[in-house]
Each structure stands twice: as C-alpha cells, then as structure tokens.
Amino acid sequence: MEEKQFSGILNGAVPGEPVKKDENSRRGNWGNQIEFVLTSVGYAVGLGNVWRFPYLCYRNGGGAFMFPYFIMLVFCGIPLFFLELSFGQFTSLGCLGVWKVSPMFKGVGYGMMVVSTYIGIYYNVVICIAFYYFFMSMTNLLPWTYCNNPWNTPDCAGVVGTPRANATFANVSAVVSGVTEIVNRTKRTSPSEEYWRNYVLNVSDGIGDFGEVRLPILGCLAVSWVVVFLCLIRGVKSSGKVVYFTATFPYVVLTILFIRGITLEGAVSGIKYYLTPQWEKILDAKVWGDAASQIFYSLGCAWGGLITMASYNKFHNNCFRDSIIISVTNCGTSVYAGFVIFSILGFMANHLGVDVSEVADHGPGLAFVAYPEALTLLPISPLWSLLFFFMLILLGLGTQFCLLETLVTAVVDEIGTDWIIKNKTYVTLGVAVIGFLLGVPLTTRAGIYWLLLMDNYAASFSLVVISCIMCICIMYVYGHKKYFKDVEMMLGFPPPVFFRICWRFVFLIQFFPPESGFSISLNQIFFLFSYKPITYNDYVYPSWSLVIGFFMALSSVICIPIYALFKIAVSEGSTFLERLKNSVKPDPTWGPALQEHRKGRYATTGPESVEVCPLKEDLKNEGTAMWSSSLGDVRLTALLFTGSL
C-alpha cells in the first residue's frame, strides 16, 4: 500500500487523489485542449493587434508592409512559437524550471520573468483606463462629444457642432461651419483629446513631475487587478473556463464594428489608405524592424508565457498544430482589426474633409482619442463606445491572465513544495497585490509618460537576444539531435525540416550576421528601432528618462550573463573549464514530468525511477535510498550532451 502511494506521488498525484492516465494531477492540466488554444489566442491577440498593427501597416507602406510582416511570421514567429510550446510541454515546467536542460542558462528564464513583470505592470494600467472609458460610456451623451466642458480650452473644436436645447434642421449649418473652421485650422484640438489629456489623465508638464494620483484611474486599476485575480484564483482550471468568453467575444465585437464601419460613407477610402502598397518602402530597414517588432511583441515570444501555458498541456498534445493555428489566428486578427479601425477613420476623414493620415493615430492615441471621437459621429454613440471599450478590456485581460500566470507558475515551480502547490492561490494574490502597488505610479499625472517609456523599451531588442540565446542553448549546447528526438518522443513525429533549419540557423544568423554589405541582422534592426527617441505629442523625453528606458531593456538581458557566472562559480570542478562543463550539463531530473513518459534515454528500471516533481517532506528520507542508487546512472545519461558542444 505504501509502495503504491509512493508510486502515485512520483507520477504527479496529490495524496488521496486517484492517479489519472497522462494527467499531471499534482501540478494540473488544462481541462481540454480547446482551453489551451483559446488561452494562447487570448495571450497572443492583445491591444497591439488593434492599436498598433493598423498604424504600422499604413505608416510603413500599406499593403507593402504585409510582405515583410508575413516573412517575419514564417521565418521567425511560427518557428519560435513552436519551439517555446514544445519546450514547455516536454517538461511540464514554467519559464524557470525548463532550464534544467542546461542550468547555466537559467538566467534566460529570469529575463523572461523581468519582461513579463514590466509588461504586466503597464498593461493592466491600460486595461484600467479602458475600464474607466467603459464606465463613462454608460450615459446618453458621451462626455467627449462637445467642447462645452470645464476641462476644454478655447482651442477645442468638435466634429458634431455645438449642443443646442431644441435641435432642428437649422443646426446643420452650424455643423458645416464648425467643420469648415476645423479644416481651416493648422492644428485641431478635439474634445476627445482634451477629455483624455486634461480630464482623464490631467497630464503634467513632464515625466519628472508626478503630481497627485488620479483617484478614478487608481480605483479602476484595483478593479482590473481584482478581475484578473478572480479569474486566476484556481490557476488554469479557472482561467481555462473564462477564456471561452474573453477570447471569443472580441471577435464578435470586431465583426459588429466592421459591419457598421463598412456601411459608412468614406469607409472605402479609409480601407484603401490602409492597404494601398508603397513598394519603395520595402527597402527601408526600419520597415523590417517594425515588422519584426510587431511579430515578437504580438505573438508574445520570449515573454515566458508560451512556455508556461504549454507546460499545462498533456505530454502527447500536438503543439505543432497548435502553434500554426494560434500564430495564423493572431496575425489574421491584426489584419482584420485594420479593416475595422480604418473603415471608421475613413468615415471620420470624409466627414471632416481631410486626409485619413490626419485622423489616424496609434497606441493610446488611437484607442482613447481618435477612435472614440469617430464614435461620436455614429447614431447611438454610447452603444458603440461600450462595445469598443469592452472589446479592449477583453483583449487586454486575455494577455494579462497569461502574464500573471507566468510569474506565479515560475515561483511555484521554483519552490516546488507540496504546500506551495496546494496554496497557489496565495502566490497569485501576492503577485497581484505587488503588481497593483507597482502600477500606482502610472496612475499619477506623469503616468502616461512612464507607460509609453515602458511600452517602448521594456520589451524591445531584449526579446530578440533572449530568443536567440534560447535557440543557442537548445540547439547547440543541449544538442539539436537530442531535442529533435525529444519532440519526436512527445509528438510521435520529428519537427519538420523547415523548423529544424530555422531553429538551428536562422536565429543564429540573426544574432551573428555574416559580414556583408547586404545583410542586416534582426538584432541590429531592433537596436535601430529602439534607439529612436520617443515623444508624446509635442513633449520630447529628456535624456535621463531615455537612459532609464535602456536600463529597463537591458535589465532582462543582463540576467543571462549574471546567472551564468553565478552558476559556473558554484558548480563542481577544479578548473574553470570543468565548472563550465558541469554548469551546462542537463539536470538529472530533466525530461518528461510523469514516469509513464520517461522512455528511451530517460527510462530507468524498477523502483529506482527518477521523477522531476519534488517529493513530500515526510517521504524524503524514504526516497533517499532510491535517489542514491539511480543518480549515478542518470548522471551518465546526462553526460551524453557533450557530443553536441
């Protein structure tokens, strides 16, 4: 009876619970594969698909931008997506635990955690602002429709005229004259922009002038974190149910807005402006840099979230199929969202008699200024505003769920005791509270400056560095042949040849490009993209703030060499070379989590089986003998990695 109980624990079962076939009962799995796909779609499809991709597309050559975008998707996005999914699924561990494959590279996992922390902090602030606009849309008249509010300035000029007590057909002349005045101005200040800048944010004069906390935004930030916590209170078991709604309903809203948008006058001109190719821009390196940055940022590669989500899959799940479905869905959503956005902006440009470029914007400017202003022109504008901001909330929450789960899973896997696993809810609560407190400075009057600084620098060129080093570790330190066999053992077929080539050579070429006048590495493109000083409207960021931004970008990358030096220093060996070799050897517990999947070179015989899940405290002494008898064989197996160095 005791032996059976001990065997059950080795197979991942919590004492007292039945052991299920291919089910990691101790750590947990997705309820079904649809939950994983929807969660990953929700993670990849976020605010950037709506407020960043359409703008990048029209700014970088319209339809011509699609060419470098899909090139980056095929050669970088999908292969890296598949690599991260297979990496996490094979070991059933988060972004820290997976580096048992080569402990010296665990700093890559810490770098992923740093990136996820930065993004999780400011991403929820954006969600909370969407919450605020959602609540403010519950009215008969949107508050950013007219210029007769206390926060408006004399320069304000609306697009729907001036409100009158008894509106009649005569008001049309007032509207026309108002539009004429707007067109004749060299620079128009819209009521939506002044509502956003002067009322919602009450923006200060600079990034160093924090001012007071905006209490309505702070309250919405608390609401946002509470919603995220409640949806993750039981880990993937609860979030997997929530995503049935949060991952699918945004498509319903997008479709409603698209149908409404294309029926408006001027919508076709907006869509043409969005898609008309400017082929001469293809040769511009920055266009390729924007394409690369959008692929990495949108898919969530190198954030740690993909590894974490895949770690809750069952061992034999077809993650290759999932990577294709999720990546294509994500990029297709970006293109689809462009039609939705530019159909409405085309209508607004037609209404004002100006070019689409004069009303197009990106980032917060699109989500909280340009698009809301366009919605004021529609009948029943509060309804469309509610739908739009509800969609933004759901898009943001889908990403935020995975960012928080990434950090929680990393902490739980790293500690690994039964108590921490059973009380994972407290870890989730702790991470949520810390995230809320770190987000408070972003709710001050200078919050928008810091939010944009983090958005530009926290996840920039560091994503490429992290991705390339991950590929180097798996393909060249651990060994590509070993990893291909691992994937084949897990999926039943080896990785396709195209993915093997991309994993082994494409990323290496990007990191160490051949010295040619015609070659530009992806890493160099990212440097070019990130090095451009950022601005907010007419405000130019001071040099000291840009230094902080670069330190944010470097803080995730610096984890890699720091931890590598630490690991080498504490590894066994009398010389540096010996310690280096020992530090890159796979951990004895590297491999599939469940004993039933440990076959081939991972297989052991008899009761001396090694399980990656830590044993209960009260069974440690009982298991010491088994560990001692098998450790030597496992270390011999691990030494095979040297053939790939």
Side-chain angles (χ1 to χ4, degrees):
M1 180 65 181
E2 291 180 357
E3 181 179 354
K4 184 177 180 180
Q5 183 185 29
F6 185 77
S7 176
I9 294 173
L10 282 178
N11 280 278
V14 175
E17 293 184 0
V19 179
K20 299 178 182 179
K21 185 70 174 177
D22 200 29
E23 180 83 14
N24 194 331
S25 302
R26 186 171 189 268
R27 190 172 183 271
N29 291 110
W30 295 105
N32 56 65
Q33 212 48 40
I34 296 178
E35 294 181 5
F36 166 69
V37 173
L38 289 179
T39 300
S40 299
V41 168
Y43 173 63
V45 177
L47 298 174
N49 298 74
V50 173
W51 77 15
R52 195 162 184 264
F53 174 81
Y55 176 82
L56 289 178
C57 191
Y58 103 81
R59 189 185 72 180
N60 291 302
F65 180 72
M66 301 290 185
F67 179 74
Y69 180 73
F70 284 108
I71 289 292
M72 290 296 177
L73 171 66
V74 172
F75 287 93
C76 299
I78 296 178
L80 189 56
F81 203 95
F82 178 35
L83 179 64
E84 291 198 29
L85 291 189
S86 60
F87 196 25
Q89 181 174 306
F90 183 74
T91 58
S92 298
L93 291 171
C95 63
L96 286 183
V98 292
W99 297 102
K100 291 181 178 181
V101 66
S102 184
M104 190 186 81
F105 289 88
K106 193 174 183 178
V108 177
Y110 285 111
M112 291 178 173
M113 288 186 65
V114 171
V115 170
S116 291
T117 300
Y118 284 139
I119 297 175
I121 291 170
Y122 78 77
Y123 215 80
N124 227 21
V125 174
V126 177
I127 297 173
C128 88
I129 297 176
F131 264 113
Y132 180 81
Y133 270 79
F134 178 77
F135 295 143
M136 293 298 102
S137 300
M138 297 178 181
T139 179
N140 293 327
L141 180 67
L142 294 176
W144 55 86
T145 304
Y146 299 112
C147 292
N148 60 339
N149 302 287
W151 57 82
N152 292 127
T153 67
D155 294 329
C156 179
V159 296
V160 292
T162 303
R164 300 176 186 267
N166 297 312
T168 64
F169 184 75
N171 286 336
V172 174
S173 60
V175 173
V176 174
S177 62
V179 171
T180 303
E181 179 187 359
I182 292 168
V183 174
N184 292 333
R185 290 189 181 190
T186 56
K187 182 175 178 58
R188 182 177 70 92
T189 304
S190 66
S192 62
E193 181 180 355
E194 293 197 349
Y195 179 78
W196 159 254
R197 188 183 64 219
N198 300 338
Y199 183 74
V200 178
L201 302 179
N202 193 14
V203 179
S204 65
D205 294 331
I207 191 172
D209 181 13
F210 282 90
E212 73 278 2
V213 171
R214 301 291 296 150
L215 293 180
I217 303 300
L218 181 65
C220 289
L221 181 63
V223 170
S224 182
W225 275 109
V226 168
V227 170
V228 173
F229 168 70
L230 291 178
C231 292
L232 289 173
I233 195 168
R234 295 183 60 238
V236 296
K237 294 297 183 183
S238 57
S239 65
K241 303 299 184 291
V242 175
V243 294
Y244 280 102
F245 179 74
T246 60
T248 57
F249 194 73
Y251 290 96
V252 177
V253 178
L254 276 174
T255 301
I256 294 173
L257 292 175
F258 174 67
I259 294 173
R260 181 61 182 131
I262 60 175
T263 60
L264 298 171
E265 186 178 359
V268 174
S269 62
I271 293 175
K272 283 183 178 179
Y273 193 88
Y274 165 55
L275 293 178
T276 301
Q278 302 172 34
W279 296 110
E280 66 277 5
K281 290 192 175 183
I282 290 250
L283 301 178
D284 187 350
K286 191 174 187 310
V287 173
W288 290 82
D290 283 345
S293 68
Q294 180 63 16
I295 286 293
F296 273 80
Y297 191 89
S298 181
L299 290 179
C301 298
W303 292 13
L306 299 178
I307 294 175
T308 300
M309 295 301 103
S311 70
Y312 293 103
N313 280 335
K314 293 185 178 180
F315 185 72
H316 293 298
N317 169 66
N318 190 346
C319 59
F320 170 70
R321 172 202 60 203
D322 295 341
S323 64
I324 302 294
I325 293 173
I326 298 167
S327 300
V328 172
T329 300
N330 172 71
C331 295
T333 302
S334 296
V335 177
Y336 185 39
F339 286 94
V340 177
I341 297 299
F342 274 87
S343 63
I344 297 290
L345 296 182
F347 162 67
M348 183 178 179
N350 179 77
H351 183 87
L352 292 174
V354 298
D355 192 75
V356 179
S357 62
E358 296 186 35
V359 297
D361 205 341
H362 72 293
L366 173 64
F368 302 116
V369 177
Y371 205 85
E373 183 180 18
L375 294 177
T376 62
L377 299 171
L378 302 179
I380 323 176
S381 55
L383 172 62
W384 304 111
S385 183
L386 282 170
L387 287 174
F388 177 72
F389 288 110
F390 188 53
M391 177 190 68
L392 290 186
I393 291 170
L394 295 181
L395 288 174
L397 288 176
T399 302
Q400 190 68 16
F401 290 159
C402 296
L403 290 170
L404 185 62
E405 185 63 38
T406 297
L407 300 176
V408 171
T409 298
V411 173
V412 171
D413 285 347
E414 188 69 6
I415 298 175
T417 62
D418 288 326
W419 185 90
I420 202 73
I421 292 175
K422 291 179 181 179
N423 295 278
K424 184 179 177 181
T425 300
Y426 295 111
V427 180
T428 305
L429 177 61
V431 174
V433 170
I434 294 173
F436 168 75
L437 295 176
L438 292 176
V440 170
L442 299 184
T443 64
T444 63
R445 294 178 58 194
I448 186 63
Y449 299 118
W450 290 100
L451 189 151
L452 293 176
L453 187 73
M454 295 177 71
D455 182 48
N456 277 269
Y457 289 98
S460 54
F461 70 90
S462 58
L463 298 181
V464 182
V465 177
I466 291 173
S467 299
C468 290
I469 293 180
M470 179 175 64
C471 289
I472 291 172
C473 172
I474 297 174
M475 295 295 111
Y476 294 93
V477 178
Y478 175 65
H480 64 275
K481 292 183 179 179
K482 289 182 180 180
Y483 193 74
F484 295 161
K485 290 181 180 178
D486 290 342
V487 173
E488 184 175 7
M489 181 176 72
M490 180 173 62
L491 303 183
F493 58 89
V497 175
F498 172 77
F499 288 87
R500 300 186 208 177
I501 294 174
C502 288
W503 290 347
R504 292 186 63 194
F505 303 114
V506 172
F507 288 102
L508 193 65
I509 292 174
Q510 292 166 358
F511 199 64
F512 300 108
E515 296 300 324
S516 168
F518 301 96
S519 66
I520 289 185
S521 73
L522 190 59
N523 198 29
Q524 289 171 331
I525 291 176
F526 261 74
F527 269 112
L528 290 173
F529 173 76
S530 302
Y531 192 76
K532 183 180 179 180
I534 62 174
T535 60
Y536 176 62
N537 294 333
D538 296 329
Y539 177 76
V540 179
Y541 279 68
S543 300
W544 63 265
S545 65
L546 299 181
V547 172
I548 294 177
F550 277 110
F551 273 112
M552 286 182 185
L554 291 174
S555 60
S556 56
V557 177
I558 201 67
C559 294
I560 302 173
I562 289 177
Y563 188 86
L565 293 174
F566 165 76
K567 190 63 182 178
I568 293 172
V570 299
S571 296
E572 297 180 355
S574 56
T575 65
F576 176 81
L577 184 59
E578 290 179 357
R579 290 195 296 270
L580 176 63
K581 288 184 176 180
N582 288 328
S583 67
V584 297
K585 290 179 182 178
D587 189 274
T589 58
W590 157 256
L594 301 183
Q595 184 60 40
E596 63 195 74
H597 300 140
R598 297 184 72 90
K599 301 175 182 178
R601 68 178 182 278
Y602 299 104
T604 54
T605 58
E608 294 87 1
S609 302
V610 177
E611 176 56 50
V612 300
C613 297
L615 303 179
K616 286 179 64 66
E617 297 294 334
D618 58 348
L619 292 176
K620 277 187 176 180
N621 294 333
E622 183 178 347
T624 300
M626 288 184 289
W627 273 92
S628 299
S629 61
S630 63
L631 194 56
D633 292 336
V634 175
R635 283 181 173 173
L636 287 175
T637 304
L639 286 173
L640 293 175
F641 91 99
T642 52
S644 64
L645 288 176

